[in-house]
């Protein structure tokens, strides 16, 4: 059957399908420490029709299909745990339309944020809630996991909070739907709400299990006229938690655009806070800066030279020396705005005191009425592989028990084993939806929904 | 030991955190052509690890994949901000393995044989190497030696002629080895034939030392990179003489006022950084200084320039044009079209890039004129040369 599937895939994709061992090997890992996982085929679609045809074929032959954007998930978000066909979306990278009146940008899902930002900049526009995931990170990849990095999140929240206007999605059985206002024939994607419930939200964070997102319409904004950078050092996290809460308190008009706090595992004295502020006029930016400075100073923050902050944000696509201390693993997720400190304490207890793993950092950024804390581990492969699994296993169990919502769930070597016992009837409902939309369970099997319990 | 060359990089391979900074068709011509991540550094590093772990065979597919790498170094440049992996050395080690395994592409053999027999990769008579210089009576000994290289001696001899005429204006007569000038052997390095390359390196250094030169000026960036960067490394020695590229030498002369480009040239030009001069040797400013000194020129940068200049499609060692001519031309077309967006003339100082651009221009009818920077400067100095 594999040969037959190969022939059919060649009919759809021509030279954009491969089953060469070297090609499959090149797609065997994401950023996480998850072990190598090989697909049987990799395909690179260029159109929605090709994806639709692919999913019809996958249903016919009951072959699993996994989907990835830039491949930089750090929670085993797309690794083909059941083999089958891996879809690399990066050839679907067109910018379809930038509408300067609607303030929308419509792109194919494999378009990178880096590419989009360059095009928006030429028009004096910006997408203001991006991640710090490097130049390969795709729009579709971020939306499908409702991702968010420290850049812009303080003001605009995670992707999908409000800035995804509409989607085009190929359902697991091959049908194509459009959400938001474009659910109506011949209506452009100017509004998130179309007919009935908000099905744009339905696919945000679905981790590719409920359909393959092929087009995304995003809300864009005029680029800010004035940007300011601030750098404060604090001595305790209780104050940082308070400062983050106060800066975000004017809900919808948060004082900072970005607030990023971090502490090195080897320096438990200092907490560094990088703050980025903008305004549509100098006066607006100056007013925000003044208020933030007051809040920080009142809570023990000591102002520093802001040059490192500026340098970091200016090189946000190519952060420097990123693997200087080793390759990465992360444990993190969302907690309420007034519940950051316990997660710091547990990091210190488990990672620093119990395991003496100092080659790490604790970071957190607020987004509207929440924090996203995470522990970043730097480790050496392959020597520290076992250690990293052990430390992160203990930490993740504790964090999830404390109520942290992992930033995404992923597969058996991601957060899935930790999350499943914590979910209530919602998980059963999710499984029913999955069964309804994907009766043959061909799309991302083993991701988000446990293999053992798959419909 | 299995994979004796590659295994030297085992630690380096594990430094890759799979950030995919290098997986970008805008900078990597190989990924652009292959389309899958096996064509980018991240993919090749995962492949290399699998080879060392006996999870993958060294297949003919892999040999083809490796030879579709232009060795342009853009991935290495991107990785400087991430894991600082010397990707190019790893891919070269893999090419060396292919030689050890007898998987060397036969289509490259004629060039190798010609080099061994004639001392140049074109198979042209050795005693014609210095023909271009006959009218200049250059001495064979002197403090400053001009090393021309095979490509410019036999194919682009108007470049060394222009260079000598410019130096005449500055009152400088360099030494020149004439027919005794050896091939630098640069292409052997990129083919993965390190042992052969070492012999050429030793011979080249010996002949130059014999001339009494204290400094050597190269107009061919491949020869320059060989002597400046590659040979000290493979021989484990410090170069016994100062090494300069012609653009560095000329930019200095302009700065010192020893030559003054005064003839106005009203052209819209852009500068293409050759991989061997730019990323491999880190010479970016000198050529631009020369361009800025020429009156009348409108100099526009292409979007991809300097450290992230896009390869011309010929690549280090000019392997891809021999093995995969169509692919090579596709990349050249992309680069020439990019040049056309901002200029009427694409200026560079690499004979390989010039040949590639001329081929692509005639093949696809792209209306942009490839030109040597040295020739352009000569014209700005009123020297009659084309």
């Amino acid at each position: 059957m594999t040969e037959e599937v190969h022939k059919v895939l060649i009919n759809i994709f021509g030279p954009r399908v491969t089953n060469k061992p070297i090609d499959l090997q090149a797609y065997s890992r994401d950023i996480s420490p998850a072990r190598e996982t090989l697909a049987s085929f990799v395909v690179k679609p260029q159109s929605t029709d090709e994806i639709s045809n692919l999913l019809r074929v996958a249903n016919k032959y009951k072959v699993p299909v996994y989907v990835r954007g830039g491949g930089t998930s750090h929670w085993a978000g797309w690794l083909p745990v059941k083999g089958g066909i891996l879809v690399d979306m990066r050839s679907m990278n067109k910018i379809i339309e930038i509408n300067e009146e609607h303030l929308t940008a419509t792109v194919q899902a494999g378009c990178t944020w880096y590419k989009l930002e360059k095009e928006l900049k030429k028009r004096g526009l910006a997408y203001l809630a991006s991640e710090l995931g490097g130049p390969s990170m795709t729009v579709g990849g971020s939306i499908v996991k409702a991702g968010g990095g420290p850049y812009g999140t303080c003001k605009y929240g995670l992707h999908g909070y409000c800035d995804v206007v509409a989607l085009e999605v190929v359902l697991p059985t091959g049908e194509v739907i459009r959400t938001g206002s474009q659910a109506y024939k011949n209506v452009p994607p100017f509004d998130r709400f179309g007919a009935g419930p908000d099905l744009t939200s339905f696919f945000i964070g679905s981790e590719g299990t409920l359909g393959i997102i092929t087009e995304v319409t995003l809300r864009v904004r005029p680029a800010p006229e004035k940007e300011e950078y601030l750098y404060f050092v604090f001595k305790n996290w209780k104050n940082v938690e308070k400062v983050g809460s106060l800066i975000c308190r004017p809900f919808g008009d948060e004082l900072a655009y970005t607030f990023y706090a971090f502490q090195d595992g080897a320096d438990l004295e200092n907490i560094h806070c990088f703050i980025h502020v903008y305004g549509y006029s100098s006066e607006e930016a100056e007013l925000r800066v003044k208020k933030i400075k007051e809040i920080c100073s009142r809570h023990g923050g000591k102002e520093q030279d802001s040059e490192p902050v500026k340098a970091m944000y200016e090189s946000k696509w190519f952060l420097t020396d990123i693997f200087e201390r080793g390759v990465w693993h992360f444990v993190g997720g969302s907690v309420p705005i007034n519940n950051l400190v316990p997660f710091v304490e547990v990091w210190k207890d488990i990672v620093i005191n119990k395991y003496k793993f100092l080659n790490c950092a604790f970071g957190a950024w607020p987004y509207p009425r929440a924090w996203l804390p995470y522990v970043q581990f730097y480790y050496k492969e392959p020597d520290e592989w076992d250690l990293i699994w052990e430390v992160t296993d203990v930490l993740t169990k504790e964090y999830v028990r404390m109520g942290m919502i992992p930033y995404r769930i992923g597969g058996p070597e991601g957060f899935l084993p930790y999350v499943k016992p914590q979910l209530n009837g919602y998980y059963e409902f999710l499984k029913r939806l999955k069964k309804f939309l994907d009766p043959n369970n061909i799309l991302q099997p083993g991701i988000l929904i446990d293999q053992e319990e798959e419909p | 030991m299995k994979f004796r060359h590659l295994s030297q990089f085992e630690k380096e391979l594990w430094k890759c955190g799979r950030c995919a900074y290098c997986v970008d068709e805008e900078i990597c011509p190989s990924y652009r052509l292959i389309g899958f991540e096996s064509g980018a550094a991240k993919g090749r590093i995962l492949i290399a690890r699998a080879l060392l772990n006996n999870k993958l065979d060294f297949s003919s597919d892999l040999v083809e994949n490796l030879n579709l790498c232009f060795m342009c170094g853009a991935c290495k440049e991107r990785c400087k901000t991430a894991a600082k992996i010397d990707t190019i050395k790893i891919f070269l080690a893999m090419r060396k393995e292919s030689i050890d395994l007898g998987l060397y592409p036969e289509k490259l053999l004629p060039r190798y044989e010609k080099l061994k027999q004639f001392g140049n990769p074109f198979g042209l008579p050795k005693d014609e190497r210095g023909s271009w210089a006959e009218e200049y009576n250059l001495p064979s000994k002197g403090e400053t030696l001009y090393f021309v290289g095979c490509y410019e001696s036999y194919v682009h001899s108007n470049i060394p002629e222009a260079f000598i005429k410019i130096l005449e204006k500055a009152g400088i007569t360099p030494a020149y080895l004439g027919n005794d000038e050896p091939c630098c052997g640069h292409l052997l390095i990129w083919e993965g034939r390190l042992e052969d390359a070492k012999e050429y390196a030793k011979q080249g250094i010996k002949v130059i030392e014999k001339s009494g030169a204290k400094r050597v000026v190269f107009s061919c960036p491949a020869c320059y990179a060989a002597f400046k960067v590659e040979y000290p490394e493979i021989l484990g020695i410090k170069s016994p003489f100062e090494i300069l590229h012609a653009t560095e030498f000329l930019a200095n002369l302009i700065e010192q006022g020893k030559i003054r480009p005064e003839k106005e040239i009203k052209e819209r030009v852009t500068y293409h950084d050759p991989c061997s001069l730019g990323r491999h040797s880190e010479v970016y400013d000198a050529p631009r200084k020369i361009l800025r000194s020429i009156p009348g020129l409108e100099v526009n940068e292409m979007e991809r320039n300097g450290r992230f200049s896009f390869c011309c499609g010929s690549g280090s060692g000019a392997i891809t044009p021999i093995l995969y001519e169509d692919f090579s031309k596709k990349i050249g077309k992309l680069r020439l079209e990019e040049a056309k967006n901002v200029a009427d003339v694409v200026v560079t100082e690499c004979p390989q890039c010039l040949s590639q651009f001329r081929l692509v221009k005639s093949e696809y009818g792209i209306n942009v004129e490839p030109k040597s920077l040295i020739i352009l400067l000569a014209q700005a100095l009123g020297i009659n040369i084309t």
Side-chain angles (χ1 to χ4, degrees):
Chain A
M1 191 172 85
T2 309
E3 274 183 27
E4 207 178 323
V5 171
H6 192 198
K7 277 184 195 158
V8 180
L9 293 176
I10 289 171
N11 276 339
I12 301 173
F13 297 103
R16 287 176 284 110
V17 57
T18 182
N19 64 351
K20 289 179 187 172
I22 57 164
D23 294 333
L24 304 178
Q25 191 70 42
Y27 287 90
S28 58
R29 292 195 61 191
D30 69 348
I31 281 187
S32 77
R35 280 172 276 265
E36 275 182 15
T37 313
L38 295 176
S40 301
F41 303 98
V42 176
V43 298
K44 286 196 82 173
Q46 288 181 339
S47 69
T48 302
D49 282 350
E50 285 183 352
I51 290 181
S52 175
N53 289 338
L54 168 71
L55 290 175
R56 289 178 204 279
V57 166
N59 273 286
K60 182 179 171 191
Y61 292 96
K62 311 274 189 295
V63 185
V65 173
Y66 292 87
V67 194
R68 45 148 280 185
T72 54
S73 76
H74 44 84
W75 58 96
W78 53 269
L79 293 175
V81 285
K82 284 193 160 185
I85 303 162
L86 176 64
V87 183
D88 175 350
M89 292 291 287
R90 286 202 56 185
S91 287
M92 288 188 63
N93 60 4
K94 291 193 183 76
I95 295 172
I96 296 164
E97 190 198 16
I98 294 174
N99 190 314
E100 297 186 33
E101 284 304 313
H102 295 171
L103 286 177
T104 54
T106 301
V107 300
Q108 284 188 311
C111 175
T112 61
W113 292 107
Y114 179 55
K115 176 177 175 175
L116 176 61
E117 187 183 76
K118 281 199 283 187
E119 285 308 309
L120 289 173
K121 202 173 176 183
K122 290 176 190 168
R123 295 164 168 81
L125 297 171
Y127 179 78
L128 292 172
S130 78
E131 302 187 55
L132 284 177
S136 286
M137 194 179 48
T138 64
V139 173
S142 291
I143 300 305
V144 83
K145 56 117 173 169
Y151 196 76
T153 326
C154 182
K155 187 168 177 61
Y156 295 111
L158 307 179
H159 290 300
Y161 216 77
C162 60
D163 280 353
V164 181
V165 177
L167 300 171
E168 179 191 74
V169 183
V170 183
L171 298 177
T173 39
E175 301 89 340
V176 181
I177 63 156
R178 289 172 160 253
T179 70
S181 56
Q182 61 179 352
Y184 290 86
K185 289 175 188 167
N186 303 319
V187 175
F190 70 96
D191 196 332
R192 170 105 160 226
F193 296 94
D198 174 10
L199 288 184
T200 303
S201 266
F202 181 71
F203 293 100
I204 297 169
S206 65
E207 303 200 36
T209 56
L210 305 177
I212 298 181
I213 296 174
T214 45
E215 261 181 44
V216 182
T217 300
L218 297 162
R219 173 74 63 225
V220 297
R221 294 176 170 81
E225 284 171 21
K226 180 76 178 171
E227 296 183 70
E228 296 282 355
Y229 303 90
L230 295 168
Y231 179 9
F232 278 85
V233 168
F234 290 83
K235 295 293 178 187
N236 75 69
W237 278 97
K238 191 71 206 160
N239 284 344
V240 174
E241 181 185 284
K242 192 69 192 162
V243 165
S245 177
L246 290 170
I247 284 175
C248 288
R249 193 155 181 83
F251 194 95
D253 189 27
E254 289 78 3
L255 296 176
Y257 169 49
T258 300
F259 183 94
Y260 172 37
F262 66 96
Q263 179 163 42
D264 197 300
D267 173 16
L268 298 180
E269 288 292 308
N270 300 302
I271 302 152
H272 305 267
C273 291
F274 283 14
I275 305 164
H276 183 195
V277 180
Y278 77 71
Y280 283 105
S281 68
S282 296
E283 291 81 3
E284 182 192 342
E286 278 163 22
L287 185 65
R288 290 175 187 276
V289 165
K290 192 179 160 206
K291 287 184 173 178
I292 292 168
K293 281 185 176 181
E294 276 171 14
I295 292 170
C296 288
S297 302
R298 206 173 348 121
H299 291 86
K302 299 280 178 236
E303 193 171 1
Q304 316 287 315
D305 177 5
S306 63
E307 195 50 42
V309 186
K310 188 167 186 253
M312 178 180 141
Y313 287 114
E314 283 181 349
S315 63
K316 66 178 175 173
W317 297 113
F318 299 101
L319 297 179
T320 49
D321 301 335
I322 58 175
F323 299 124
E324 193 75 7
R325 299 170 66 179
V327 296
W328 294 352
H329 190 28
F330 299 89
V331 174
S334 299
V335 302
I337 193 80
N338 59 349
N339 195 31
L340 177 65
V341 173
F343 291 86
V344 180
E345 296 307 321
V346 166
W347 163 59
K348 288 179 184 166
D349 285 349
I350 294 177
V351 182
I352 305 291
N353 297 333
K354 184 178 171 195
Y355 283 96
K356 314 282 181 220
F357 199 110
L358 307 186
N359 199 16
C360 67
F362 184 94
W365 55 80
Y367 64 100
R369 305 328 286 159
W371 280 96
L372 199 147
Y374 67 94
V375 179
Q376 180 166 7
F377 295 88
Y378 311 100
Y379 70 103
K380 307 276 183 237
E381 286 188 347
D383 303 350
E384 291 182 322
W385 228 330
D386 290 341
L387 175 64
I388 204 72
W389 278 117
E390 188 182 329
V391 183
T392 56
D393 177 57
V394 174
L395 182 70
T396 308
K397 274 183 189 148
E398 187 56 17
Y399 271 9
V400 174
R401 191 196 63 72
M402 291 164 66
M404 181 195 79
I405 301 167
Y407 34 68
R408 276 311 119 200
I409 293 171
E413 293 201 325
F415 289 111
L416 182 57
Y418 305 95
V419 168
K420 210 184 78 184
Q422 302 294 323
L423 291 170
N424 52 29
Y426 181 85
Y427 189 56
E428 293 306 314
F429 178 60
L430 194 61
K431 285 196 306 195
R432 276 165 58 198
L433 286 173
K434 171 75 172 163
K435 176 76 178 170
F436 175 71
L437 289 171
D438 186 7
N440 294 315
N441 191 31
I442 54 117
L443 199 51
Q444 301 266 92
I447 309 291
L448 190 61
I449 294 169
D450 200 335
Q451 289 183 72
E452 314 299 313
E453 297 195 6
E454 269 163 359
Chain B
M1 185 193 284
K2 205 182 171 193
F3 300 128
R4 64 190 174 108
H5 306 292
L6 188 56
S7 57
Q8 293 171 24
F9 294 94
E10 188 161 9
K11 270 194 177 167
E12 189 93 347
L13 292 171
W14 285 106
K15 280 163 59 184
C16 174
R18 304 168 301 284
C19 64
Y21 278 20
C22 57
V23 186
D24 184 349
E25 62 178 22
E26 293 301 318
I27 63 149
C28 174
S30 169
Y31 174 58
R32 184 156 197 132
L33 291 173
I34 291 173
F36 298 106
E37 291 198 353
S38 57
K42 172 192 159 193
R44 288 199 178 100
I45 286 171
L46 286 170
I47 291 167
R49 283 188 201 170
L51 287 173
L52 293 178
N53 292 334
N54 297 317
K55 287 184 179 172
L56 201 61
D57 292 328
F58 207 111
S59 61
S60 54
D61 283 339
L62 179 53
V63 177
E64 183 177 297
N65 175 290
L66 292 169
N67 287 320
L68 268 171
C69 172
F70 294 79
M71 299 283 187
C72 71
C75 54
K76 181 181 164 183
E77 203 62 41
R78 273 275 167 92
C79 199
K80 280 182 182 172
T81 55
K84 298 186 172 64
I85 296 174
D86 196 336
T87 50
I88 295 299
K89 278 196 187 139
I90 290 168
F91 307 154
L92 258 183
M94 290 163 89
R95 278 191 183 167
K96 287 176 203 162
E97 299 297 354
S98 75
I99 293 176
D100 285 7
L101 291 165
L103 294 168
Y104 194 71
E106 276 185 23
K107 276 173 91 175
L108 288 177
L109 280 176
R111 184 172 77 166
Y112 177 67
E113 295 300 336
K114 282 176 193 165
L115 182 57
K116 281 211 309 197
Q117 192 180 343
F118 297 96
N120 65 75
F122 312 111
L124 292 168
K126 206 175 173 186
D127 57 9
E128 287 178 14
R129 188 178 188 95
S131 300
W132 67 270
E134 274 165 12
E135 64 179 280
Y136 300 107
N137 293 320
L138 300 171
S140 59
K141 288 182 185 296
E143 282 201 0
T144 300
L145 178 87
Y146 176 34
F147 192 102
V148 183
C150 303
Y151 228 120
E152 296 191 0
S153 299
Y154 292 103
V155 182
H156 291 276
S157 56
N158 54 349
I159 296 175
E161 284 201 61
F163 185 63
I164 294 299
K165 286 178 177 172
I166 295 171
L167 296 196
E168 273 176 8
K169 291 242 174 204
I172 298 168
T173 305
Y176 170 57
L177 296 170
N179 292 338
D180 292 332
E181 182 187 271
C183 171
C184 73
H186 171 87
L187 59 92
L188 294 168
I189 293 180
W190 297 102
E191 284 188 12
R193 294 182 177 276
L194 197 63
E195 293 311 312
D196 289 296
K198 276 183 185 170
E199 292 311 309
Y200 278 83
K202 285 178 196 162
Q203 173 67 7
I205 291 170
K206 195 171 142 189
V207 173
I208 292 171
E209 276 189 308
K210 222 169 136 185
S211 75
K214 287 187 177 158
R215 82 185 57 80
V216 186
V217 184
F218 297 82
S219 46
C220 171
C223 302
Y224 171 73
F227 279 90
K228 175 144 190 184
V229 183
E230 292 146 14
Y231 290 161
E233 208 169 286
I234 63 174
L235 295 178
I237 57 160
K238 194 172 172 284
S239 177
F241 33 78
E242 186 191 0
I243 292 166
L244 290 166
H245 187 254
T247 55
E248 296 175 299
F249 194 72
L250 294 171
N252 280 341
L253 293 181
I254 293 168
E255 211 166 281
Q256 291 160 9
K258 290 184 179 167
I259 49 173
R260 292 176 200 279
E262 283 170 346
K263 190 179 166 202
E264 199 173 61
I265 297 183
K266 289 206 164 181
E267 280 177 351
R268 210 164 62 102
V269 305
T270 189
Y271 177 69
H272 166 79
D273 294 88
C275 304
S276 46
L277 189 61
R279 282 185 288 265
H280 294 179
S281 307
E282 297 188 334
V283 176
Y284 299 111
D285 293 340
R288 290 175 169 82
K289 274 184 191 165
I290 295 173
L291 282 177
R292 283 197 297 269
S293 76
I294 297 174
L297 277 190
E298 179 188 329
V299 185
N300 301 322
E301 288 284 5
M302 284 181 268
E303 192 171 339
R304 293 174 289 188
N305 63 70
R307 289 171 60 208
F308 292 108
S309 170
F310 195 61
C311 178
C312 72
S314 181
S316 301
I319 289 167
T320 320
I322 297 172
L323 297 178
Y324 309 103
E325 194 186 344
D326 286 350
F327 284 153
S328 166
K329 282 193 273 194
K330 262 188 194 172
I331 295 302
K333 180 173 179 272
L334 289 170
R335 186 58 171 163
L336 214 49
E337 282 169 345
E338 188 180 352
K340 190 178 174 295
N341 284 338
V342 296
D344 305 312
V345 179
V346 57
V347 179
T348 190
E349 202 43 77
C350 170
Q352 248 176 256
C353 298
L354 279 173
S355 289
Q356 169 76 349
F357 285 149
R358 280 174 193 158
L359 177 74
V360 170
K361 175 185 157 70
S362 70
E363 185 98 351
Y364 297 103
I366 301 167
N367 195 19
V368 60
E369 189 61 37
K371 199 166 194 175
S372 147
L373 175 59
I374 291 176
I375 289 179
L376 185 69
L377 175 63
Q379 289 167 345
L381 289 163
I383 295 165
N384 187 20
I385 195 153
T386 52

